Amino acid sequence: MRILIVEDEGEVAALIKTGLEEYGFEATIAGDAMEAQQRLAERDYDIVILDVNLPIISGFDLCRMIRNRFETLPILMLTAFGSTTSKLDGFDAGADDYLVKPFEFRELVARLRALTRRNSVQSTDLPVLKIADLELNQQSKTVKRGNQKIMLTARELALLEFFLKNQNRALTRNEIIEHVWDLNFDTGTNVVDVYVNYLRKKIDKDFPLKLIHTLSGIGYIMQDTDD
């Protein structure tokens, strides 16, 4: 596994690199966004570990740049910013996972392996997911309903994909958090409800047939009937 570490603190980057190499990974360090983009242009990587607090161009902005250029390249944000808002900002920027410093190195390795497994599985999925007149092309990451193209953020896209892969099945909020965010949020968070509302406004609001339905006391279900 070839890993690009984007971290401006040299000592921290060296420690991560040494630890990864002890697990048999090949790791390269980039100290800022410009160097990271140069490294990505020079060779292929299997995953990017990205700090948020970078000089000049932030990790969030760099994440967007990488995601626009490399749609399927897994990105793990590794940062001291641990608030729910920071995590959501990271996921909205296109990150696939988010780990807060300080961290247990074994957890970092486990998350890296999980991301690469998930990426290989997704590459074999059917290219288009459909329900009624709604379509998601997993290769181009485009969404349309009928003849109307719909623009979604990275996290809205991941949420829609999870709904489509589990249509006609009741999904609890905990299931959605676990699979779409891959995080254990505090019990009282309403992040799922917030993002379901964002998604509904884009894929359901202007269409007579509603596809996302609330199940009182359970969570949500995607189906093409009102039953």
Side-chain angles (χ1 to χ4, degrees):
M1 188 190 301
R2 293 188 300 272
I3 302 172
L4 178 62
I5 303 164
V6 188
E7 168 65 66
D8 65 319
E9 294 187 26
E11 189 173 324
V12 174
L15 286 172
I16 296 172
K17 182 177 187 294
T18 299
L20 292 174
E21 288 173 344
E22 288 177 357
Y23 278 88
F25 302 137
E26 179 184 342
T28 303
I29 297 172
D32 57 34
M34 297 298 292
E35 186 178 358
Q37 292 181 86
Q38 181 179 346
R39 297 283 190 189
L40 288 166
E42 292 172 347
R43 65 174 303 180
D44 294 330
Y45 289 91
D46 297 302
I47 197 162
V48 175
I49 296 176
L50 178 59
D51 185 29
V52 171
N53 194 23
L54 298 175
I56 305 176
I57 298 175
S58 75
F60 293 137
D61 289 335
L62 177 58
C63 186
R64 293 185 185 92
M65 294 176 186
I66 295 173
R67 183 55 67 230
N68 286 336
R69 188 174 173 188
F70 304 95
E71 290 185 351
T72 62
L73 178 62
I75 301 171
L76 182 146
M77 285 195 152
L78 185 64
T79 174
F81 296 109
S83 70
T84 298
T85 298
S86 294
K87 293 173 184 177
L88 294 178
D89 287 344
F91 287 126
D92 281 343
D96 298 282
D97 202 355
Y98 197 108
L99 186 59
V100 178
K101 301 174 185 175
F103 59 92
E104 174 69 38
F105 210 89
R106 290 177 300 173
E107 181 181 359
L108 172 61
V109 170
R111 286 174 179 262
L112 293 174
R113 287 173 173 161
L115 283 174
T116 54
R117 282 198 305 270
R118 187 185 311 161
N119 195 49
S120 65
V121 169
Q122 287 177 349
S123 66
T124 64
D125 285 342
L126 293 173
V128 179
L129 299 173
K130 295 180 63 174
I131 184 171
D133 57 347
L134 176 69
E135 295 184 5
L136 164 60
N137 188 307
Q138 295 184 96
Q139 293 180 343
S140 64
K141 304 299 181 184
T142 55
V143 177
K144 66 177 183 178
R145 185 154 187 192
N147 295 321
Q148 181 177 331
K149 188 173 182 180
I150 298 172
M151 302 302 295
L152 300 179
T153 66
R155 198 49 40 189
E156 291 165 352
L157 193 64
L159 180 58
L160 176 59
E161 182 177 358
F162 186 60
F163 272 128
L164 285 167
K165 287 182 175 180
N166 293 276
Q167 54 188 276
N168 300 312
R169 186 169 80 84
L171 300 171
T172 67
R173 290 172 176 81
N174 285 341
E175 279 184 282
I176 296 171
I177 287 174
E178 180 182 349
H179 289 88
V180 177
W181 279 268
D182 198 20
L183 286 173
N184 293 318
F185 281 86
D186 294 335
T187 306
T189 184
N190 67 338
V191 65
V192 171
D193 300 324
V194 169
Y195 273 83
V196 168
N197 187 47
Y198 290 160
L199 189 58
R200 275 175 161 162
K201 287 180 179 178
K202 294 184 178 182
I203 71 167
D204 270 350
K205 182 180 178 183
D206 297 327
F207 301 89
L209 178 62
K210 309 307 179 187
L211 299 175
I212 300 176
H213 305 271
T214 301
L215 298 177
S216 181
I218 300 175
Y220 298 96
I221 187 170
M222 173 170 273
Q223 58 185 19
D224 57 1
T225 68
D226 292 326
D227 297 338

